[in-house]
Amino acid sequence: MHGEPAFPDATMPYVNPDAPKGGRLVFGVLGTFDSLNPMIVKGLALPQIRGYVVESLLARGHDEPFTLYALLAESIETDAERSYVTFRINPKARFSDGTPVTAEDVLFSRELLRTKGRPNHRLFYAKITKAEALDARTVRFDLTGANDRELPLIIGLMPVLPKHATDEATFEETSLTAPIGSGPYRVGHVRAGTSITLTRNPDYWGRDLPINRGMWNFDEVRFEFFRDANTAFEAYKRGLYDFRIETEPLRWATGYDVPALREGKLVKEELANGQPQPSDFLVFNTRRPQFADIRVREALTLLLDFAWINKNYFFGLYRRSGSYFPGSELAAYGRPASPAELTLLQPYMSRLRPDILDGSYKLPQYDASGRDREALRRALGLLADAGYQISGNVLKHRQTGEPFSFEIMVTTRDQERIALIFARDLKRAGITARIRVVDAVQFDQRRIAFDFDMIQNRWDQSLSPGNEQAFYFGSAAADANGSRNYMGVKSPAVDAMIEALLKTRDQADFVAAVRALDRALMSGFYVIPVFNVPSQWVSRWTRIQRPERTSLSGILPETWWQAPDARRP
């Protein structure tokens, strides 16, 4: 996406090129399935069909923000403006039934997914002005007018389906018919709603490609489905599947104390990576009059006692950052702005906090008592500046006498716990926060219509933020129901930084633009950071081994292998 690929020979540092082949890897999956097609909206399908069974023209390098390497395509051609992209298909490329992969398959896949695929497929593939086969193995996409430098990469990740073995008429319908792909595995045994087994294709055409070195090491990969989280965890402790990524702090802190852990048969690992850390925020709806004043929003940010929440609810496992890209090189929190950032931000200096620019701004630090007087004093000072005063233990507007109150809408038990503690903290400042618990459907309906005062939300960010940032934070999205600009940001500085990051061609300039965006967002106090997860919590049975080095994007089970002396229950 920016600059040059880090590994021209596609030798990746996060694999073991000498990993032994063979054995079986078992995933535990929470939920069920009724389809084997993850490329359509209808039904519940296994996402890993993509990659394991169905391939794309290019494959991700997982140690870079957004770099793709040759897979089905042996070469790629584009211009400096990325106004077109041409792919030359590897002559060895075959589907699992032995049929060669051709340009016609690529054109067929693009048209099928543009008309019947998932919404993201329809959106991006509709930007292609013209698609044509130059010969049996060469396909060219004209991208004139798209003005989207990501688009050649997005097309490179398009699933390639066999024209001869894909039924257009029934493509949008759920089906348990095994798809034919060109990947390293084929769909084997399927037990409806219960398990899916993928088996190695012994004739896989791409096993010797550089990008596949040290990958796809198991002869069989099975996915076992569990309807209930507790049942899934108990099954893991009995050894019925091989690893799990934990997301529950209580379970991570106390639930894995089993004999297998003490005997060394099972391990717990906290694995850091370079991705922006998953982060939850309390979101102000600035369309509401009580949150229109930035001083009010900053005051309420001072009142959330993260230290108490982390100690009493999360066993001290979480961290908190002011950044929208925490834990990554894109985060501006705690960093002074570079000359490149200052140049981008110069026209908007009046809208930016000096302490956010120089990196000295810090979220409030508490003693976990739930009674921090200094934070309360600072918050009341800001509220006084915004026209509020305490009257009989109630915060009221000085001119209208109206008490300061608002509603926090929640849909899960964890969200409710956070909201109740925040309401406790707010009460010390004379503010009444009402907690409204709604079901998931109502929550989503009200969220997309911006019908709330405050909600808890997470924007999942990557190391290659792009067009979606306008959908998250752009002014045009603030009044567009269904966008993810839940806070209602309308900021010329934010808009300009999104535009700047979309135009960059060099990685250093890109990082500067994203950090500048981060500073513009932080300066607006649109959210209250609640917590971020500093690492991946991973447990695995030691019969499964992994490379010493974790990739920039996190764990990759497709790089793991079975220990030679592995024993299963």
Side-chain angles (χ1 to χ4, degrees):
M1 181 62 192
H2 300 101
E4 297 297 320
F7 309 103
D9 63 353
T11 299
M12 299 301 171
Y14 50 80
V15 303
N16 173 8
D18 301 317
K21 305 292 185 182
R24 179 172 75 237
L25 178 67
V26 183
F27 285 70
V29 184
L30 189 61
T32 186
F33 69 94
D34 59 9
S35 173
L36 294 178
N37 184 358
M39 290 155 281
I40 58 173
V41 173
K42 189 178 292 187
L44 297 170
L46 180 71
Q48 286 88 346
I49 295 292
R50 286 284 309 274
Y52 283 80
V53 177
V54 176
E55 292 183 310
S56 50
L57 292 161
L58 305 177
R60 280 186 180 271
H62 292 281
D63 231 35
E64 300 160 83
F66 196 9
T67 300
L68 307 183
Y69 292 85
L71 189 57
L72 286 172
E74 65 176 356
S75 68
I76 309 96
E77 176 188 320
T78 187
D79 61 350
E81 299 303 319
R82 298 189 181 174
S83 64
Y84 76 93
V85 63
T86 301
F87 299 95
R88 180 76 171 164
I89 297 169
N90 192 312
K92 298 179 180 178
R94 297 284 188 280
F95 292 108
S96 60
D97 63 359
T99 306
V101 180
T102 68
E104 283 300 316
D105 294 307
V106 176
L107 294 178
F108 168 80
S109 300
R110 177 259 173 168
E111 185 60 21
L112 182 66
L113 294 170
R114 184 185 70 82
T115 56
K116 298 185 177 183
R118 300 186 71 84
N120 57 317
H121 295 150
R122 301 183 192 213
L123 172 67
F124 287 117
Y125 305 154
K127 293 183 178 183
I128 298 169
T129 303
K130 183 181 180 182
E132 58 182 331
L134 303 184
D135 59 42
R137 289 177 36 230
T138 309
V139 60
R140 184 184 191 275
F141 296 96
D142 183 352
L143 310 179
T144 304
N147 296 317
D148 186 347
R149 293 184 58 78
E150 282 186 322
L151 194 53
L153 289 88
I154 291 169
I155 296 171
L157 291 174
M158 179 178 69
V160 177
L161 305 169
K163 182 177 181 179
H164 70 281
T166 304
D167 187 344
E168 290 182 74
T170 61
F171 183 74
E172 289 182 279
E173 301 302 319
T174 59
S175 172
L176 294 179
T177 301
I180 292 177
S182 60
Y185 293 89
R186 295 180 291 205
V187 175
H189 184 59
V190 176
R191 295 168 57 210
T194 302
S195 72
I196 299 171
T197 300
L198 308 181
T199 57
R200 182 191 298 283
N201 178 6
D203 300 318
Y204 174 48
W205 73 273
R207 62 176 174 267
D208 296 324
L209 289 177
I211 193 63
N212 285 329
R213 194 177 296 124
M215 302 272 285
W216 319 115
N217 299 314
F218 298 94
D219 286 343
E220 181 180 291
V221 180
R222 193 168 75 228
F223 298 85
E224 292 285 352
F225 288 78
F226 300 90
R227 300 287 183 111
D228 174 77
N230 289 331
T231 302
F233 184 53
E234 292 303 316
Y236 175 70
K237 290 192 292 184
R238 297 201 311 272
L240 300 185
Y241 58 98
D242 292 321
F243 77 98
R244 60 182 279 124
I245 300 172
E246 188 56 74
T247 59
E248 171 54 54
L250 173 62
R251 188 180 291 132
W252 185 249
T254 65
Y256 289 80
D257 187 15
V258 295
L261 182 71
R262 295 187 288 273
E263 295 165 5
K265 297 177 182 178
L266 181 149
V267 295
K268 290 172 62 183
E269 300 173 306
E270 297 187 8
L271 303 175
N273 59 65
Q275 291 285 343
Q277 295 167 355
S279 304
D280 277 41
F281 303 89
L282 289 169
V283 182
F284 295 106
N285 186 350
T286 63
R287 304 168 187 85
R288 297 291 204 249
Q290 64 264 50
F291 295 142
D293 193 315
I294 191 173
R295 294 168 296 188
V296 170
R297 302 197 298 269
E298 182 181 358
L300 269 61
T301 300
L302 292 169
L303 293 173
L304 179 68
D305 191 341
F306 164 73
W308 190 96
I309 293 171
N310 198 32
K311 176 183 176 182
N312 289 280
Y313 287 166
F314 303 134
F315 298 86
L317 293 169
Y318 286 161
R319 300 292 179 267
R320 190 162 79 133
S321 168
S323 174
Y324 286 70
F325 307 90
S328 74
E329 67 170 346
L330 304 178
Y333 182 70
R335 284 188 171 114
S338 67
E341 291 176 68
L342 293 173
T343 298
L344 289 170
L345 292 167
Q346 185 59 46
Y348 311 100
M349 284 298 180
S350 63
R351 301 172 181 268
L352 303 173
R353 286 275 295 250
D355 56 349
I356 289 176
L357 287 172
D358 66 23
S360 63
Y361 170 73
K362 293 287 184 290
L363 290 166
Q365 304 295 315
Y366 301 110
D367 60 8
S369 69
R371 297 182 299 274
D372 191 288
R373 293 188 176 185
E374 174 58 22
L376 178 61
R377 184 189 64 79
R378 291 169 56 199
L380 289 174
L382 285 165
L383 290 166
D385 292 342
Y388 291 90
Q389 64 184 13
I390 291 284
S391 175
N393 295 324
V394 177
L395 187 72
K396 297 182 178 180
H397 195 276
R398 192 175 296 116
Q399 293 182 343
T400 66
E402 185 177 351
F404 193 109
S405 67
F406 64 94
E407 179 182 280
I408 306 174
M409 185 174 69
V410 301
T411 189
T412 69
R413 173 59 182 154
D414 286 343
Q415 289 179 359
E416 185 181 14
R417 289 200 305 172
I418 297 292
L420 288 168
I421 292 303
F422 189 36
R424 178 204 69 181
D425 296 339
L426 291 168
K427 189 174 182 179
R428 297 176 60 233
I431 298 171
T432 299
R434 304 177 304 278
I435 314 303
R436 174 67 62 88
V437 182
V438 299
D439 62 37
V441 173
Q442 185 180 357
F443 183 88
D444 196 49
Q445 289 173 339
R446 290 184 59 180
R447 180 174 60 175
I448 64 177
F450 312 132
D451 181 20
F452 61 86
D453 296 337
M454 176 177 281
I455 57 171
Q456 188 170 329
N457 189 65
R458 174 180 292 185
W459 291 271
D460 290 321
Q461 296 283 11
S462 75
L463 286 171
S464 185
N467 293 298
E468 76 286 346
Q469 300 303 304
F471 190 65
Y472 294 171
F473 310 122
S475 295
D479 297 321
N481 283 9
S483 84
R484 298 190 67 189
N485 187 347
Y486 301 125
M487 61 274 267
V489 179
K490 289 186 177 181
S491 163
V494 169
D495 292 340
M497 295 312 105
I498 293 172
E499 184 178 353
L501 74 87
L502 292 175
K503 290 181 177 179
T504 57
R505 303 187 181 189
D506 173 83
Q507 180 67 14
D509 291 341
F510 176 73
V511 171
V514 180
R515 288 182 183 174
L517 170 63
D518 201 18
R519 294 183 203 279
L521 288 167
M522 286 193 290
S523 292
F525 289 92
Y526 302 109
V527 298
I528 302 174
V530 179
F531 61 78
N532 51 277
V533 185
S535 58
Q536 282 185 299
W537 301 333
V538 182
S539 178
R540 61 180 167 85
W541 288 85
T542 54
R543 59 180 175 253
I544 301 298
Q545 300 292 297
R546 65 172 182 84
E548 290 186 13
R549 193 179 180 286
T550 303
S551 79
L552 189 69
S553 59
I555 66 164
L556 298 170
E558 54 266 41
T559 67
W560 297 358
W561 63 92
Q562 183 169 293
D565 58 349
R567 293 183 179 180
R568 292 186 175 274

